[in-house]
Amino acid sequence: MDDEDLLEFIDGAVPATTASLREPWRILVVDDDPDVHESTAYGLRGLEIEGRSLQLLHANSAAEALGVLRRERDVAVVLLDVVMETDNAGLVTVVAIRNELGLAHVRIILRTGQPGQAPEIDTIRRYDINDYKTKSELTRTKLYTTLTAAIRSYDQLRRIDASRRGLEKIVAASNQFIAEPGLQSFAEGVITQIAGLVGVEPEGVVCACTPRTEAGSHCVVVAAAGRLAHLMQHRITDIDDPYIVASLTQCLAERRNLLAERSVTLFFAGREGGDFVAFVYASAPLRDVDAHLLEVFCTNIALCAANVELVTRLRNHAFVDRMLGLPNRTAFLQHLDDAVAAGGAAGHAIGLMDVDQFAETNDMFGHGYGDQLLAAIAQRLGAVQDGAGFLARVAGDTFGLFGLESSVNPERLRSVFEQPFEIENVLRPVSVCMGFVRCDDTNGSGLELLKDASIALKRAKELGQGRSAYYSAEVGTVTRERTRMLHGLQRAFDHEHLFVVYQPQVNLADGRPIGVEALLRWRTDDGKFVPPDRFIPVAEQSGLIVTMGAWVLRSALHALAALRSVGPQGGALGIRVAVNVSSVQFAQPQFLELVDEALRDSGVPPECLELEITESVAVMGMERVAALLRQIKARGIAVAIDDFGTGFSSLSYLDRLPADRLKIDRAFVMSLDSGRLGARIAEMIVPLGHQLGMQVLAEGVETEAQADILRALGCDEAQGYLYAKPMVIGDLGPWLAQRLGAPP
Ligand code: C2E
Ligand code: CA
Ligand code: CA
């Protein structure tokens, strides 16, 4: 072979321009003859194959060759001498390459010195030797063509392998799109597969677009690999590379694949305009066959993507509430959005209906019962709106109805609950709180409308069971105010900025302390006190009162334990601590357990604890209240009825509440010396309490005159500024020591 041949070959067939951009093919020359290394290097000098230059690695023995292959990755071809250390060192090396090193893709070309050294045909087959040449046969041109064929085949094997890996990832993703990262791992598979087909490292992004709406659609990167990994979750418009942005945008606009020098950008048509687009860097223009393959690939993937999307949607946003067969919250929101977008919300209203005491019902009668109740309500609501409105179950025990204001309003919906519901053959009255929003009043999205309706519902719940409220700007403000307070309170609680103060209670006859009432205090960061009358209701509505109340109970008991430990003289033996218990806490199934635990932990005997409850506990049902009170009393714990006379139902419940102490509310005590109605109520309460075997304690006693009147009425005990204001535990010790130490 002469040099002219070679030059012609180079000029005619090898594009030299892009070669430097891409990694060279790596070829391992294995021969014990240094001349062979040299001549091979010389023969291949400056040549390129498939637009890439060649890099030679050298090994002088079979052992060295295996060392190189172990160390270096991506060796495309091994030019292997047969006879080296031994007569068949080359063949042994082949076995080791395939079996020990597990290198299936590397192409192996055997070179022998003489034809006589040629291995048998079946040896070639058995060892997966890809070509066989005698050294004399391998002129420079022949070497070049032999290498080109080997490298092409190596490249294809690698692509098939990469593409198989991509495919495996896609298959795995399809099998698994029920798992949360379904879409993402699917999209990653797409990148790998494109990269495999193009024959580059996987570096690219896949963007998913939301379905087109009036507002347009936006596309977000759902998978990103290689040096583009940081683009994950970026919107297309936020990508910092103008070339990528332009490619993606053009591809989406023209809805077709773009095969450029530096990149491939592929378009996948999705459902309802929820298209996908993938961008992957390429290092050279694609061959025709690849472009064709990509088209086929895209069609496949688009189908697959639609499935992934469908399944993902089914899973994440299932539109139907399984239990009731009603549309769920997502469907409700979608419907609202659609109605607003179509201009069909005018004259319409949203009503949210929340079943009163549903959680308690569930606790008491079991979930099966609760489910039946909900189904019965759903059925009636479905009947009343008569197909004209849109009914959904938006939360556990909350139904949403969207329809004309003439049918979605408090009067109309109240009528649905007039008759009791028959569940398990028992008639059961059901009340609901309802929140409404007129869609004319807002021009927000479905989500905003639903939020406003929820605010109205919250307001209705504050008003009490069976009430309803409309959303208005003021209601919104009040609710947001409460929400802000709740967050502040939660933070204060978490950061231990709440503390407990203690107000003594005394025997009216001799002024001797008999107990203390624990009262909660909240001092905000700027040093202001928020009165409990304001924050306790917020804590009750949010349920925070449960953990907060448990904490007050524990604090109070530990404080008392500390006082008692001081000793009989200065200590507080015999002193009781009274703790306010909200009806919300009282209704908790674990309430009693919690009290037991707090008593055990503090070591305070049950006789020294008093629980102050109000008549509002009656909402949990008198049977349950009575049963719970019996259990409390069986432990020796005392019970006081707080704020007596202010509740709505007063006297009728009293004889059914086995309590030790009746507390006359401060409001009645205040009007004692006025002769007004309040005074007469106080006069009635004292004998009433005594008749039922209770001690009577007057709250908020501020003057001697009030104390005198109360004593004359036969009232037993008192609490108020006349005796002491609520104080921190550090002050209470000395105060008690003084009173207890020296009886008057
Ligand atoms: P309450 O249980 O009726 O507590 C008595 C309230 O009257 C306390 O107000 C006390 O500071 C105040 N007071 C006592 N003597 C006098 C007096 O002579 N004159 C005047 N003007 N007021 C007096 P406070 O501490 O503001 O508590 C208000 C309400 O907050 C309590 O009323 C109770 O219902 C609730 N509360 C306080 N702490 C807790 C708690 O830990 N848990 C629960 N659930 N509620 C609590
Ligand atoms: Ca109280
Ligand atoms: Ca009270």
Side-chain angles (χ1 to χ4, degrees):
M1 154 111 199
D2 54 49
D3 283 359
E4 261 166 44
D5 268 9
L6 192 61
L7 279 175
E8 198 180 78
F9 204 98
I10 294 170
D11 285 343
V14 183
T17 43
T18 51
S20 55
L21 295 175
R22 305 182 60 178
E23 293 215 340
W25 300 113
R26 314 180 89 195
I27 296 160
L28 173 61
V29 182
V30 189
D31 209 302
D32 56 356
D33 178 354
D35 286 349
V36 174
H37 286 278
E38 217 167 283
S39 66
T40 308
Y42 180 77
L44 296 175
R45 180 182 38 118
L47 290 181
E48 293 176 4
I49 292 174
E50 302 276 305
R52 291 164 66 171
S53 60
L54 308 176
Q55 180 194 0
L56 295 188
L57 307 170
H58 299 275
N60 296 307
S61 66
E64 243 180 69
L66 293 180
V68 171
L69 287 169
R70 241 182 229 113
R71 212 166 45 235
E72 306 285 341
R73 39 173 227 109
D74 247 5
V75 174
V77 182
V78 181
L79 284 168
L80 186 60
D81 190 15
V82 176
V83 182
M84 291 179 291
E85 300 98 309
T86 59
D87 274 358
N88 65 347
L91 290 179
V92 172
T93 310
V94 174
V95 177
I97 290 175
R98 298 296 187 215
N99 297 350
E100 277 169 41
L101 303 185
L103 296 174
H105 298 342
V106 63
R107 299 296 81 193
I108 301 175
I109 301 171
L110 279 188
R111 291 200 288 191
T112 60
Q114 288 107 47
Q117 292 174 332
E120 303 295 325
I121 283 293
D122 78 281
T123 311
I124 292 185
R125 222 181 277 134
R126 189 147 33 109
Y127 293 138
D128 189 17
I129 294 161
N130 309 107
D131 208 343
Y132 165 76
K133 294 282 183 295
T134 56
K135 286 182 186 170
S136 59
E137 211 185 338
L138 275 180
T139 60
R140 299 168 84 180
T141 310
K142 200 68 174 286
L143 177 61
Y144 182 78
T145 46
T146 303
L147 274 180
T148 303
I151 280 174
R152 277 201 181 129
S153 127
Y154 168 76
D155 193 29
Q156 266 162 10
L157 281 175
R158 245 193 13 176
R159 285 178 203 217
I160 290 167
D161 191 52
S163 147
R164 183 178 51 80
R165 279 201 306 267
L167 208 61
E168 271 168 8
K169 235 183 163 174
I170 287 181
V171 169
S174 343
N175 288 340
Q176 246 190 52
F177 23 78
I178 335 159
E180 205 70 68
L183 182 65
Q184 193 193 326
S185 79
F186 172 80
E188 278 167 5
V190 171
I191 296 181
T192 317
Q193 198 167 16
I194 297 172
L197 289 170
V198 178
V200 293
E201 288 296 306
E203 282 200 294
V205 292
V206 172
C207 300
C209 302
T210 57
R212 269 189 294 279
T213 61
E214 304 279 283
S217 83
H218 67 268
C219 306
V220 176
V221 175
V222 293
R227 72 189 117 136
L228 301 182
H230 67 286
L231 294 178
M232 192 64 194
Q233 294 300 335
H234 279 51
R235 285 171 175 234
I236 286 189
T237 42
D238 298 339
I239 294 175
D240 49 9
D241 183 328
Y243 178 79
I244 299 177
V245 175
S247 305
L248 292 171
T249 314
Q250 188 191 347
C251 179
L252 277 170
E254 297 177 7
R255 303 175 68 78
R256 65 179 184 89
N257 297 342
L258 304 175
L259 308 179
E261 281 221 352
R262 287 174 53 197
S263 63
V264 267
T265 316
L266 306 182
F267 178 81
F268 309 94
R271 285 154 24 103
E272 295 157 27
D275 300 328
F276 282 82
V277 58
F279 171 96
V280 171
Y281 277 116
S283 33
L286 288 178
R287 295 193 308 260
D288 290 350
V289 55
D290 288 335
H292 181 67
L293 241 168
L294 283 176
E295 299 284 345
V296 177
F297 167 75
C298 285
T299 323
N300 265 320
I301 292 299
L303 281 175
C304 217
N307 284 336
V308 171
E309 197 196 10
L310 186 69
V311 173
T312 309
R313 263 171 54 176
L314 279 179
R315 182 169 181 280
N316 293 346
H317 317 279
F319 282 96
V320 176
D321 176 75
R322 290 243 195 86
M323 190 185 98
L324 299 180
L326 278 184
N328 64 8
R329 184 173 180 276
T330 312
F332 196 61
L333 281 173
Q334 181 81 55
H335 187 84
L336 293 178
D337 276 338
D338 291 349
V340 172
H348 283 63
I350 296 168
L352 293 183
M353 285 143 284
D354 185 287
V355 183
D356 290 329
Q357 298 284 311
F358 184 75
E360 286 77 4
T361 307
N362 252 347
D363 281 350
M364 242 182 296
F365 300 106
H367 288 265
Y369 184 93
D371 292 353
Q372 285 184 52
L373 179 61
L374 289 177
I377 295 173
Q379 199 189 4
R380 266 200 216 171
L381 283 171
V384 76
Q385 46 102 22
D386 208 15
F390 189 88
L391 177 67
R393 182 189 189 191
V394 294
D397 61 337
T398 310
F399 294 91
L401 185 56
F402 171 76
L404 285 170
E405 276 192 53
S406 53
S407 54
V408 180
N409 60 57
E411 297 72 37
R412 180 74 180 277
L413 293 178
R414 186 68 62 209
S415 70
V416 174
F417 298 93
E418 253 160 27
Q419 299 300 316
F421 289 76
E422 192 179 326
I423 313 288
E424 292 176 353
N425 297 323
V426 179
L427 284 178
R428 182 195 154 84
V430 170
S431 76
V432 292
C433 277
M434 301 195 280
F436 293 89
V437 60
R438 293 186 182 90
C439 298
D440 295 343
D441 296 351
T442 42
N443 49 2
S445 64
L447 186 61
E448 283 165 51
L449 282 167
L450 189 59
K451 251 189 208 156
D452 290 350
S454 309
I455 287 175
L457 178 62
K458 240 184 188 176
R459 175 77 196 123
K461 286 187 189 171
E462 284 164 22
L463 294 172
Q465 295 189 11
R467 302 293 297 270
S468 53
Y470 267 94
Y471 176 80
S472 68
E474 301 87 273
V475 167
T477 314
V478 169
T479 310
R480 273 184 280 276
E481 182 62 38
R482 291 191 89 108
T483 309
R484 209 168 305 133
M485 176 179 283
L486 176 60
H487 288 158
L489 183 58
Q490 177 82 60
R491 215 173 325 116
F493 182 50
D494 293 344
H495 293 87
E496 299 171 14
H497 288 170
L498 299 180
F499 61 100
V500 181
V501 291
Y502 301 88
Q503 185 176 34
Q505 301 172 326
V506 302
N507 188 320
L508 253 181
D510 56 14
R512 268 184 77 86
I514 50 159
V516 293
E517 178 178 3
L519 295 160
L520 190 54
R521 292 291 175 265
W522 174 15
R523 185 169 43 211
T524 58
D525 292 338
D526 48 10
K528 289 203 198 84
F529 281 97
V530 184
D533 291 330
R534 280 189 55 213
F535 71 77
I536 296 283
V538 173
E540 283 178 332
Q541 260 158 38
S542 64
L544 179 58
I545 192 71
V546 175
T547 40
M548 224 164 73
W551 174 78
V552 172
L553 178 69
R554 279 196 307 274
S555 305
L557 285 173
H558 277 102
L560 185 65
L563 281 179
R564 288 165 60 88
S565 70
V566 174
Q569 273 304 305
L573 281 180
I575 285 287
R576 213 174 356 83
V577 66
V579 177
N580 292 285
V581 175
S582 146
S583 305
V584 180
Q585 289 171 266
F586 204 65
Q588 292 286 309
Q590 311 85 346
F591 176 70
L592 208 55
E593 246 170 78
L594 204 130
V595 173
D596 287 340
E597 204 179 286
L599 280 170
R600 219 172 27 242
D601 287 352
S602 64
V604 170
E607 294 74 28
C608 290
L609 173 63
E610 181 163 280
L611 301 177
E612 293 196 6
I613 58 172
T614 65
E615 294 156 284
S616 65
V617 294
V619 299
M620 60 192 265
M622 281 312 291
E623 274 83 66
R624 255 185 96 203
V625 174
L628 190 52
L629 285 177
R630 272 194 301 276
Q631 282 178 282
I632 290 172
K633 299 205 46 135
R635 286 162 164 73
I637 301 168
V639 175
I641 313 275
D642 203 357
D643 302 341
F644 183 73
T646 57
F648 44 98
S649 45
S650 318
L651 302 174
S652 57
Y653 287 142
L654 199 54
D655 62 336
R656 301 177 59 197
L657 290 177
D660 305 86
R661 186 166 278 99
L662 197 57
K663 295 187 80 173
I664 308 178
D665 194 72
R666 188 159 61 89
F668 304 124
V669 173
M670 259 178 355
S671 54
L672 269 184
D673 25 16
S674 71
R676 280 181 282 132
L677 179 68
R680 269 183 282 133
I681 291 180
E683 279 167 36
M684 278 167 45
I685 292 175
V686 179
L688 184 72
H690 286 160
Q691 255 166 40
L692 294 169
M694 300 189 219
Q695 297 282 92
V696 181
L697 183 147
E699 280 189 307
V701 179
E702 294 186 358
T703 64
E704 285 292 356
Q706 289 166 343
D708 286 342
I709 299 174
L710 286 162
R711 251 188 304 268
L713 289 174
C715 182
D716 310 286
E717 296 149 351
Q719 172 182 352
Y721 295 171
L722 176 63
Y723 308 100
K725 290 199 168 182
M727 53 187 110
V728 293
I729 188 71
D731 295 340
L732 180 64
W735 190 93
L736 282 176
Q738 196 189 354
R739 303 294 188 293
L740 290 169

